[in-house]
Amino acid sequence: MPTLINRILNRLSEHLDGPLLVIAGLLLLIGTSTVYSATYTTLSRVPSQILNITTAFAVMWLVARTPPTTLMRFAVPLYVVGLALLVLVFLFGVKVNGARRWLSIGFTRIQPSEIMKIAMPLMLAWYFHKHEAALRLKHYVVAALILAVPFGLIAKQPDLGTAILVGAAGFFVIFFAGLSWKVLVGLLVAGASALPFLWNVLHDYQRKRVLTLLDPSSDPLGAGYHIIQSTIAIGSGGALGKGWLNGTQTHLEFIPERHTDFIFAVFSEEWGLVGNIVLLVLYFLLIGRCLVIATNAPTLFSRLLAAAVTGSFFTCVFVNMGMVSGILPVVGVPLPFMSYGGTALVTFALGLGILMSIQTHRMLVKK
């Protein structure tokens, strides 16, 4: 019997990367305990999150067993389907709280923009891999167009948080494909010059978020409420925090969206500066391991895809902690493996599965 159990365990774990699995597991454990603390009056969140984790692990396991060459074959179909769904959302999407982000399919609603978080880096990595032998400036222009269309459709919904993540994933692929620094500097200058135009394009609530970032006290009970309450929670945690389940800002319900986008404020209040350092170390180790996998990937497609996933993790961590700390505008970006929610967790698990697929199949090739 022990031999059979060992065989089953070996079979289940043979395509999984140990360091990534351990780090992600620790983050999920911390995240689930923080979700419990943030929502202990409604205990249904924890069983639901455990179900989300189980689903995410199954997705990660399946993707990890899929060779990168097979993933490459899904690049174009997935991108085309995702783009078609975004167009359908633009034309027939369900409008909720002023945002048209969802598509009704009868028994439920789906958010097609989530598909692009994976489809975009897959598509661009496939495109550069296809033209690897003779990359020219025109290929980077085409890649920029491939990125710009879905980015624009998602930003139009409006869903600035998802647009930022999709844009970041695409940018990392283009950058690591060998984009010239001269071109990059030129784009930065052009972007800075276009800021007045971009400001006029922003929705009223998005402009208000930027202005509130500069002076939250200008609207303490409105647009500035999120930033003010989250920074109070972070500051009140001090060096060692108030202890698990003892966060007053959390349990008196001052922190908005405390189990999703603002879960970092809950964690900071309970565990303080020391807890935040531990959390940052875990994310540093996660991103470091991802970079090692990207560096050692055997093909251009694998390297670009791994770099895009790594960049997406970094962007999510940086933007989420930045907005909760009051140094970036508030946008809907979850904290990886910490925030409550099934869709985002499955997306992060897909990223882990892709990295594990690249790593394990590289090792198989070496053997």
Side-chain angles (χ1 to χ4, degrees):
M1 183 63 71
T3 304
L4 178 60
I5 295 174
N6 287 334
R7 286 179 179 176
I8 294 174
L9 291 176
N10 289 334
R11 182 66 174 171
L12 289 174
S13 62
E14 64 180 347
H15 287 278
L16 303 181
D17 184 74
L20 278 182
L21 197 61
V22 170
I23 298 167
L26 289 172
L27 288 170
L28 286 170
L29 183 62
I30 294 171
T32 304
S33 66
T34 309
V35 168
Y36 174 81
S37 179
T39 62
Y40 75 103
T41 55
T42 53
L43 295 179
S44 61
R45 299 285 188 187
V46 173
S48 179
Q49 184 70 344
I50 292 173
L51 180 61
N52 292 335
I53 292 171
T54 304
T55 304
F57 181 83
V59 170
M60 180 193 70
W61 185 81
L62 288 172
V63 174
R65 298 178 65 85
T66 305
T69 51
T70 302
L71 294 175
M72 188 160 51
R73 286 198 287 268
F74 283 103
V76 176
L78 191 61
Y79 176 83
V80 171
V81 169
L83 192 60
L85 290 174
L86 286 177
V87 173
L88 289 176
V89 168
F90 179 76
L91 297 175
F92 310 108
V94 178
K95 200 169 187 178
V96 179
N97 296 327
R100 196 184 300 273
R101 304 174 184 174
W102 294 271
L103 195 63
S104 177
I105 55 174
F107 61 92
T108 189
R109 293 183 303 187
I110 61 172
Q111 190 173 354
S113 57
E114 288 292 327
I115 298 174
M116 276 297 166
K117 290 181 182 178
I118 296 297
M120 178 57 66
L122 270 175
M123 178 65 186
L124 289 177
W126 169 85
Y127 177 76
F128 283 115
H129 179 85
K130 180 181 177 183
H131 298 283
E132 179 182 7
L135 282 176
R136 299 287 187 273
L137 180 59
K138 65 178 182 180
H139 296 115
Y140 293 98
V141 174
V142 172
L145 291 174
I146 292 173
L147 171 60
V149 175
F151 178 86
L153 288 171
I154 296 170
K156 184 68 177 176
Q157 293 178 354
D159 187 356
L160 188 57
T162 303
I164 288 173
L165 296 181
V166 171
F171 169 78
F172 282 119
V173 175
I174 296 173
F175 176 74
F176 285 108
L179 182 65
S180 169
W181 281 101
K182 293 181 180 178
V183 175
L184 184 59
V185 171
L187 290 174
L188 289 175
V189 172
S193 303
L195 284 178
F197 170 75
L198 294 176
W199 178 259
N200 293 326
V201 171
L202 291 176
H203 291 262
D204 290 339
Y205 81 93
Q206 291 171 335
R207 292 182 203 163
K208 199 166 187 178
R209 285 181 179 179
V210 176
L211 293 174
T212 303
L213 173 68
L214 301 175
D215 183 14
S217 61
S218 63
D219 190 9
L221 298 179
Y225 183 81
H226 290 65
I227 296 176
I228 291 172
Q229 298 303 325
S230 63
T231 51
I232 289 174
I234 293 172
S236 65
L240 299 177
K242 299 176 180 177
W244 188 50
L245 303 179
N246 292 325
T248 53
Q249 291 293 114
T250 300
H251 297 146
L252 293 176
E253 300 185 0
F254 284 107
I255 303 175
E257 307 296 337
R258 57 191 179 276
H259 62 294
T260 53
D261 293 347
F262 281 78
I263 197 168
F264 178 62
V266 178
F267 179 84
S268 297
E269 184 182 23
E270 294 185 345
W271 299 105
L273 178 62
V274 173
N276 286 343
I277 291 173
V278 172
L279 189 63
L280 285 172
V281 168
L282 285 174
Y283 279 121
F284 176 80
L285 292 174
L286 176 73
I287 293 170
R289 179 59 182 168
C290 294
L291 285 174
V292 169
I293 293 174
T295 302
N296 295 326
T299 66
L300 180 63
F301 172 80
S302 298
R303 286 196 298 275
L304 294 180
L305 188 57
V309 172
T310 305
S312 296
F313 284 154
F314 170 80
T315 302
C316 285
V317 174
F318 178 77
V319 172
N320 181 275
M321 290 186 175
M323 75 176 189
V324 174
S325 304
I327 62 174
L328 291 175
V330 175
V331 292
V333 174
L335 190 59
F337 308 108
M338 289 277 291
S339 296
Y340 172 86
T343 304
L345 188 56
V346 168
T347 302
F348 292 134
L350 268 171
L352 282 185
I354 288 171
L355 289 164
M356 291 180 182
S357 168
I358 293 170
Q359 173 67 2
T360 55
H361 287 88
R362 179 186 74 88
M363 298 302 293
L364 289 174
V365 169
K366 287 181 68 176
K367 292 179 180 179

